[in-house]
Amino acid sequence: MASTGSIKLYTNRNCPWAHRVHIALAELALPFEEEVIDYSKPRTPEYLEINPSGKVPSMIYNGHVILESAIMAQFLADSVASTHLTPRTGDAQGAIVRERISFFVETYFSQANVYYYRAIEAKTDQDAKDLGKRYFDAVVKDVEPLLRTANPFFDGSDKLTMAEVLTASFIVRIFTLPFTEDAPLPKSMIAGLAENAPKFHAWAQAIMNHPSVNSIYNRDACAGEMRDRRAKARASVLK
């Protein structure tokens, strides 16, 4: 049974970190109040009291402020009596599954996703293409072996797990933004993955077709924001 805690999420739907929390809330069927933080405007003093960095997401749960998207997602999963996202602690098998999820997420972000923003902010299109290829290589070498039992989701689950909650917002962007006008991400990130990392590719397709992942995702809005980010990064190089 879901928690009845009062939840307010400060978010921006174009932000992949905030998107993580939306996915967790959808999977847990938790009601929440949403306040959108507009990146184009200075943060209000009220919001800076909640999160002094001014970043999103931030969450207030029964008056308690929680920061950092991964912490929020796990907190929400822990706040309900039972969930498919992560097994409960207290038995060895559950601890092993939690460890494997944590190792997968750490590997994905430290070895592969590290090139996501680097490719967007690359000095030239060729630099972006080269960084995209480094993402591709890391997926093939480091991530693909960890998905050998995915069917369709991590460790053979037929429902999303915390492994997907914490990675899906980036996966959906990496597989769709290269196909937008004046694409802010290079196709080299994903070209050939179906042949060279078939488990990863199939897992990613299942993620992108899942309602809790794509329900708030606006590809064109995200692409526009990432193009602006690329333009600012390249303009700073020319100064």
Side-chain angles (χ1 to χ4, degrees):
M1 183 175 64
S3 164
T4 57
S6 171
I7 301 170
K8 182 169 184 178
L9 177 66
Y10 297 85
T11 184
N12 184 297
R13 291 189 171 197
N14 289 339
C15 172
W17 305 107
H19 190 176
R20 284 172 143 185
V21 186
H22 283 274
I23 296 169
L25 287 163
E27 284 297 300
L28 297 166
L30 293 173
F32 67 101
E33 178 186 354
E34 178 181 356
E35 182 169 324
V36 174
I37 301 299
D38 187 343
Y39 289 152
S40 68
K41 298 179 180 178
R43 308 299 185 264
T44 65
E46 291 77 14
Y47 186 62
L48 292 175
E49 282 289 321
I50 295 167
N51 189 339
S53 74
K55 297 178 181 179
V56 295
S58 300
M59 185 172 73
I60 298 180
Y61 182 94
N62 285 349
H64 176 64
V65 175
I66 305 172
L67 307 179
E68 300 297 336
S69 59
I71 295 173
M72 291 180 210
Q74 189 60 60
F75 176 89
L76 290 168
D78 291 342
S79 75
V80 301
S82 63
T83 173
H84 55 277
L85 295 181
T86 183
R88 289 294 177 218
T89 56
D91 66 273
Q93 187 56 40
I96 289 171
V97 174
R98 290 169 70 96
E99 179 276 328
R100 291 180 63 198
I101 290 174
S102 296
F103 183 78
F104 171 79
V105 172
E106 169 61 24
T107 300
Y108 175 76
F109 279 96
S110 65
Q111 301 302 316
N113 206 77
V114 66
Y115 299 110
Y116 175 82
Y117 286 114
R118 292 183 190 179
I120 291 170
E121 298 176 348
K123 297 177 182 179
T124 67
D125 288 345
Q126 184 59 51
D127 288 343
K129 183 177 179 180
D130 292 343
L131 287 162
K133 184 60 167 59
R134 293 177 73 177
Y135 172 89
F136 175 96
D137 290 341
V139 166
V140 173
K141 176 179 180 289
D142 300 305
V143 183
E144 172 76 0
L146 302 180
L147 289 170
R148 60 187 179 276
T149 60
N151 186 30
F153 303 116
F154 189 77
D155 207 27
S157 176
D158 62 352
K159 298 179 181 179
L160 293 192
T161 72
M162 193 60 72
E164 286 79 30
V165 168
L166 297 180
T167 58
S169 58
F170 287 94
I171 296 296
V172 70
R173 286 161 172 78
I174 286 166
F175 273 81
T176 60
L177 294 187
F179 299 99
T180 57
E181 182 180 355
D182 190 19
L185 283 176
K187 290 185 176 67
S188 58
M189 299 182 87
I190 55 175
L193 275 179
E195 296 77 26
N196 292 277
K199 295 298 291 186
F200 177 86
H201 188 267
W203 174 77
Q205 301 309 305
I207 283 174
M208 291 190 294
N209 288 322
H210 198 282
S212 67
V213 173
N214 60 43
S215 63
I216 72 159
Y217 179 57
N218 185 321
R219 186 196 69 169
D220 292 338
C222 287
E225 188 170 296
M226 291 301 99
R227 284 194 294 268
D228 289 345
R229 184 174 184 136
R230 178 182 62 189
K232 290 176 183 177
R234 294 189 180 184
S236 67
V237 172
L238 297 175
K239 289 182 180 179

